[in-house]
Amino acid sequence: MIAGALIATARALATQTAGGSALAFALILGSTLGVVLQRSRFCFLCHTRDFVDRRDPRGLLAILLALAVGTIGYHIVFGSWLPNPLPPRLPPDAHIGPVSWVLALAGLAFGLGMALSGSCVSAHLYRLAEGSPVAPFALIGTAGGFVLGFVTWNTLYLQTVSTAPVVWLPHHLGYGGSLALQLAVLAGLAALLWNWRAPSDMSRTGPGPSLSEVVRSWFTGRWPYWVGGLGVGAIGFLVVLRMTPLGVTSAIGSGARALGSDAGLVPQRLEGLDGFAGCATMPGDTWMTPNGLLVTGLVAGAFAASFASGQFAPRWPTLRDAARGLGGGLLLGWGAMTGLGCTIGTLLSGTMAAALSGWVFGAFVFVGTWGGLALARRTSAR
């Protein structure tokens, strides 16, 4: 029923004369992304925690697979759009941002927010569709964090961001050199993760599952890690063909900016912000934008997947759930606004686009998440 409603809505959107096909494409691709994220449990925090706590690298390897698939796709697309990657020209709308200590601080804040709230923004969206008691508060906190980011933006921009370098690897290495370097780094990271794995987690004993068990697991169990990585990488490549590069915080940030401006909290002038590509936060009159419908489709697709697999399990929130969500969400929102995107935008789309900002943001998100998990373990031990 949900799938039918999504298809009917997409067909209705496609009949609109002004950008209807793009809106329909965004809704269908968003719903597909929601299904992939929910069924494969593709979550940056969960994958990091699995490795930190149990030295199980499968989730992080899935992220590296997504980056590798997207990197190949992005280089093909950008090579056709911009055959000669000469500075200062950049691919349109790509998540290629300035690199400075501000970006590193944004990554640390985002990673800590993930550890505190229990998920990144994209995972909170699909967990909202599962009935998570934390996700609604985390998304509200994320909007509040965006407002806080707008308040601090002018100071950070004028002091640091305005003069920070914007580094796009094809400017220096060409497409071939950039592709080779990124794939080599991803392969090296995969080899390190594999060498650091706990052998007991990866070993298999006894007979393998039967065919009926394998088929049933695709409807009720968790999809293999590699399916999530391959799916996210392929969707990241497909979305750039018809829309701006993949990101899930543009609609949240735009709404927060409009509300903050109406309340007099956001400065009337945000220096240089609207000149950057990535997860744009220009206030709009409607959520009927490609990014807004992508997020709507993500939640709807995740709800359909969780309901069909019996994983829709709503629970009444506790005060601790609310505090975790709001506190972690504030950090997520501030980090995403200041870093010009989240783990889907700046990290995935930025790294796929061969932007140094994607690598830097990702590294500090990992450090922040690791530190947040360590702090949580120490607090619980006390």
Side-chain angles (χ1 to χ4, degrees):
M1 183 175 67
I2 299 172
L6 286 169
I7 294 173
T9 304
R11 293 188 63 178
L13 289 170
T15 61
Q16 296 185 13
T17 55
S21 60
L23 296 176
F25 179 78
L27 181 65
I28 293 300
L29 202 66
S31 62
T32 304
L33 178 63
V35 171
V36 171
L37 292 176
Q38 196 279 328
R39 300 299 289 113
S40 65
R41 316 303 299 168
F42 194 91
C43 169
F44 288 85
L45 173 73
C46 303
H47 293 343
T48 303
R49 184 170 53 206
D50 286 346
F51 183 72
V52 171
D53 292 345
R54 298 187 285 108
R55 289 172 56 202
D56 182 352
R58 289 174 294 175
L60 292 180
L61 288 173
I63 295 175
L64 296 181
L65 175 61
L67 289 171
V69 172
T71 292
I72 296 171
Y74 269 53
H75 278 71
I76 294 173
V77 173
F78 289 168
S80 64
W81 288 354
L82 194 65
N84 296 314
L86 300 176
R89 300 175 65 191
L90 293 171
D93 299 319
H95 288 73
I96 305 171
V99 179
S100 69
W101 64 264
V102 173
L103 179 66
L105 185 61
L108 284 173
F110 195 92
L112 286 171
M114 284 168 51
L116 179 59
S117 68
S119 292
C120 57
V121 176
S122 57
H124 278 305
L125 287 170
Y126 79 69
R127 284 177 175 161
L128 178 70
E130 295 175 339
S132 165
V134 178
F137 297 99
L139 294 172
I140 293 171
T142 298
F146 263 91
V147 173
L148 183 61
F150 294 133
V151 171
T152 60
W153 172 257
N154 284 344
T155 299
L156 295 174
Y157 177 82
L158 294 174
Q159 290 185 354
T160 302
V161 177
S162 60
T163 57
V166 176
V167 181
W168 186 44
L169 295 181
H171 277 166
H172 307 277
L173 304 174
Y175 288 118
S178 170
L179 179 61
L181 176 61
Q182 294 223 147
L183 293 180
V185 173
L186 292 171
L189 291 174
L192 287 175
L193 290 172
W194 187 258
N195 288 333
W196 290 341
R197 76 190 188 281
S200 59
D201 284 338
M202 304 300 293
S203 61
R204 294 289 181 268
T205 59
S210 65
L211 178 60
S212 62
E213 291 173 333
V214 172
V215 173
R216 187 165 57 249
S217 70
W218 277 81
F219 294 94
T220 60
R222 175 179 182 166
W223 287 357
Y225 289 91
W226 65 267
V227 173
L230 185 63
V232 170
I235 290 171
F237 162 59
L238 290 174
V239 75
V240 80
L241 295 175
R242 294 286 302 275
M243 296 167 49
T244 57
L246 193 61
V248 298
T249 60
S250 179
I252 298 174
S254 296
R257 183 170 172 179
L259 291 174
S261 297
D262 291 342
L265 299 175
V266 175
Q268 292 185 353
R269 178 181 175 86
L270 292 169
E271 301 290 344
L273 179 60
D274 298 328
F276 289 117
C279 290
T281 56
M282 284 290 291
D285 297 328
T286 175
W287 270 59
M288 292 289 287
T289 63
N291 188 262
L293 286 172
L294 181 116
V295 172
T296 301
L298 191 161
V299 176
F303 175 71
S306 64
F307 191 79
S309 61
Q311 295 175 350
F312 178 68
R315 176 174 63 81
W316 193 258
T318 64
L319 287 177
R320 184 174 183 273
D321 292 331
R324 281 180 56 207
L326 291 172
L330 282 173
L331 291 170
L332 289 174
W334 186 87
M337 187 274 130
T338 308
L340 304 177
C342 64
T343 44
I344 294 292
T346 301
L347 197 165
L348 277 183
S349 294
T351 304
M352 291 173 181
L356 183 61
S357 55
W359 288 99
V360 171
F361 185 78
F364 281 93
V365 165
F366 184 76
V367 172
T369 304
W370 194 310
L373 292 173
L375 181 62
R377 286 196 303 270
R378 181 174 298 181
T379 302
S380 62
R382 289 179 179 176

